[in-house]
Amino acid sequence: SVIKPLHRTRFHFQPRRNWINDPNGPMYFKGIYHLFYQYNPKGAVWGNIVWAHSISRDLINWKPLKPAIYPSKPFDINGCWSGSATVLPGDKPVILYTGIDPQNRQVQNYAIPANLSDPYLTEWIKPDNNPIVDPGPGVNASAFRDPTTAWLSKSGHWKTVIGSKRKKRGMAYLYRSRDFVKWTKAKHPLHSAANTGMWECPDFYPVPLRGKLGLDPSVTGNWVKHVFKVSLDLTRYEYYTVGKYFPKKDKYVPDNTSVDGWSGLRYDYGNFYASKSFYDPLKKRRVLWGWANESDSAQDDVSKGWAGIQLIPRTVWLDHNQRQLKQWPVKELNTLRGKKVVLSHQKLLKGHTVEVKGITAAQADVEVMFSFSSLDKADPFDPRWVDAQAACDQLGNSQGGVGPFGLLTLASENLDEFTPVFFRIFKAHHKHVVLMCSDARSSSLKEEGLYKPAFAGYVDIDLSRKKLSLRSLIDHSVVESFGGGGKTCITSRVYPTKGVFDDAHLHVFNNGTEAITVEYLRAWSMKSARMN
Ligand code: FRU
């Protein structure tokens, strides 16, 4: 019999083997989506970093090409680190990326396709006038990296942002250029924030005030807001703010409903890092890619021969409240949906669990709509739970008033392993608070080497219709969940020992005193993607 590699994902992006990290330079070009990513060709730990390259027509099935950018010149001899693609007028892609030079300084380089009539863009040239930006005086040369997609201003200048820090201050340095080759540092950064440390992988883009359409990065106007995102290497979390970009002053100012720093808004409250978005002109949407590292020991990564996945690309848009984004898996994912099972109007009394049978529970897509008739039984909210994860840590899926209710994913037959994804609703002053958790503590009987946090986030949602939705993408060692139609997202990497392949189970549960109704639940077995 064939040995099926345990915990390997089947529809999340992965190369055949080895270490991966950040998604780089995603773009659409002449009918094809390109994804580059940080890759170690020599093993399952970080190192020897090149830009691996894959192409797709649907963002789900991928064909590998040879690495596009790899160390070969003094300006990148010690590594080809993260960066972005910009498609210049005339359909001419350019990559900006960070090279590590012989002195281990971080410098910015550009690369261009060798042959623009090759739709696969297989071959890339790194011109000899690189680097085009070096750290310069006053800039920390070991913290100066990850250039963004550039945008074009009315004055005819291209702008890009480079992540950095000055002492403990996170910095988004702004650079301007007319020809994309000669870049000048602006006097003031686009944005910065005290005590946030190094800003890795900044991203900056406009979103319309209303609707789901994505926008080209150069769009400005009073009908848009801007989103600014950074990855914080100190905590391995990302946060974003929603705000206003003033193109003349080249300043970004977060709205007063958005905060910089640890307590800011996150794309994902779980394992999701170094993300990058791009504008897809074909479907007129903004698509977000994020990386999920393993939550297992490096030793286990080496023995399984691979580490890291890219999460399912998500469409992002501004919520109608204009304070936060919403995210949803790109609709092409639905092409992998196979066998479907449905529950409807299923009442869940306190302590009830219903198994969802008939699908491959280790490789599934599940959508549920929950409803309840009253919030009277909601437990009081403890104001000390500023941090959602602390609340989830303390409460888990133990009995409550309204909730916990949700899914038990990747469950073993006798329920000694499972990853619960659920909501709990609390009563605070004049409002209700919705907590969403993806609790990996019970995900595996294995103890050693695993990182099993109780990830959690709050869901800022209107409960007046007494409904709450949840979607989870389950793929062997990842559970990627979208609460409240994409208002709060949480990803966990988990390594069940018994709840694997055909021995994995899926349940819907309610452990609150208030009865919950599953208005509908639709679950699909997911086919494997053609993956590299
Ligand atoms: C983020 C990061 C980037 C850097 C790259 C190196 O995960 O540290 O800042 O460019 O990875 O692989």
Side-chain angles (χ1 to χ4, degrees), residues 263 379-395 426-429 431 433 435 458:
S263 54
D379 298 321
F381 181 72
D382 183 336
R384 282 172 304 182
W385 293 332
V386 183
D387 177 14
Q389 197 168 325
C392 186
D393 240 326
Q394 184 182 331
L395 300 169
F426 302 96
K427 218 180 320 215
H429 279 296
K431 61 166 188 181
V433 177
L435 175 70
Y458 291 112

Side-chain angles (χ1 to χ4, degrees), residues 19 21-22 24 38-39 46-47 49 80-83 98 100 106 145-147 198-202 231 233 236 273-274 291:
W19 166 274
N21 57 296
D22 317 2
N24 292 153
Q38 298 278 287
Y39 177 66
W46 186 88
I49 294 293
C80 297
W81 288 14
S82 287
T98 300
I100 310 299
Q106 299 174 3
R145 57 183 182 269
D146 310 338
M198 174 62 191
W199 281 2
E200 297 189 313
C201 301
S231 309
D233 69 338
R236 311 302 290 171
Y273 197 69
W291 160 57

Side-chain angles (χ1 to χ4, degrees), residues 270-282:
N271 188 334
F272 186 98
Y273 197 69
S275 71
K276 187 169 298 287
S277 70
F278 74 104
Y279 174 60
D280 171 7
L282 178 67

